[in-house]
Amino acid sequence: MIGGLLFTFWRFLEIVTLIPTLGMLAYFVHIFQSRNLLTPNYVLVLFIVSVLAAAWAIATVFRRKSTRDSAIFVSFIDVCFIGAFIAGVYELRSIANANCSNFSADSDFSITINNDGVNGNSPFRFNIDKHCAMLKASFAFGIMNCIFFAITAFLLLFMHRKRDDRDVVVKETYRRRSHDSR
């Protein structure tokens, strides 16, 4: 029972981390498709793996009983997804060292008070490159899903049962016959 609860918890965690990855990578696929360009491999590989993994995670959560019955097969597919996520993260590895934000502080600070209210000019500037940040988040979610799928594959190996779940009832009947010759 505890194994089933742990499995369901980790599967939901996988789904929660796969949905934003799907959204962010679908944004890039849409941009390239609308400009009639080929989507780069570093986006496409992780996007396809995320779509398939999300469908697999949702299917195994809803079919938990059959997942438990075929735990070795589900564990094998999870290990395959680990390899696929490693390939997707490897393709997107160039984003790991990118600096996606810029923080600067100026010495000029001003406050203006007038009839419209108070207007201020802050000396702090924080700029984020949206595309870089989305790719970096997808990279991080890909690494997280490698770990999550490894955990569920490991849990499934412990949930696998070698015994037969059918109940066998043996009924013995004794008949006593009398061979009287009358």
Side-chain angles (χ1 to χ4, degrees), residues 4 9-10 24 30 34 39 49 59 66 76 86 103 106 119 123 128 133-134 141 145-146 151 159 162 170 174 181:
F9 169 76
W10 285 106
M24 289 183 284
H30 175 71
S34 65
T39 306
V49 170
S66 64
F76 172 72
I86 289 172
F103 179 77
D106 298 333
N119 294 328
I128 298 175
M134 289 171 63
F141 281 139
N145 279 306
C146 284
I151 290 170
M159 288 172 52
K162 282 283 190 186
V170 177
Y174 295 103
S181 55

Side-chain angles (χ1 to χ4, degrees), residues 24-173:
M24 289 183 284
L25 294 173
Y27 171 79
F28 290 110
V29 170
H30 175 71
I31 287 175
F32 285 103
Q33 189 269 334
S34 65
R35 294 179 182 168
N36 203 18
L37 298 171
L38 291 176
T39 306
N41 288 341
Y42 61 86
V43 173
L44 204 55
V45 171
L46 194 57
F47 176 70
I48 292 171
V49 170
S50 297
V51 169
L52 294 174
W56 176 253
I58 291 169
T60 55
V61 164
F62 285 135
R63 297 181 49 118
R64 213 175 97 208
K65 173 67 174 138
S66 64
T67 299
R68 176 174 278 171
D69 292 340
S70 59
I72 295 294
F73 174 73
V74 176
S75 179
F76 172 72
I77 299 297
D78 280 2
V79 170
C80 291
F81 275 117
I82 294 168
F85 272 111
I86 289 172
V89 168
Y90 178 78
E91 285 290 325
L92 197 56
R93 70 189 179 279
S94 62
I95 200 71
N97 294 326
N99 187 5
C100 300
S101 61
N102 182 16
F103 179 77
S104 64
D106 298 333
S107 60
D108 298 334
F109 181 70
S110 64
I111 295 178
T112 306
I113 301 173
N114 55 22
N115 293 337
D116 295 332
V118 178
N119 294 328
N121 182 15
S122 175
F124 303 111
R125 304 276 185 259
F126 190 69
N127 301 319
I128 298 175
D129 182 11
K130 177 182 174 181
H131 296 138
C132 177
M134 289 171 63
L135 285 173
K136 200 164 213 174
S138 297
F139 177 78
F141 281 139
I143 293 172
M144 289 168 59
N145 279 306
C146 284
I147 296 167
F148 295 162
F149 273 94
I151 290 170
T152 56
F154 190 68
L155 282 173
L156 284 166
L157 290 176
F158 284 115
M159 288 172 52
H160 176 67
R161 295 181 183 160
K162 282 283 190 186
R163 64 181 177 90
D164 195 7
D165 287 335
R166 292 178 287 162
D167 293 330
V168 177
V169 177
V170 177
K171 182 177 179 183
E172 294 183 15
T173 307

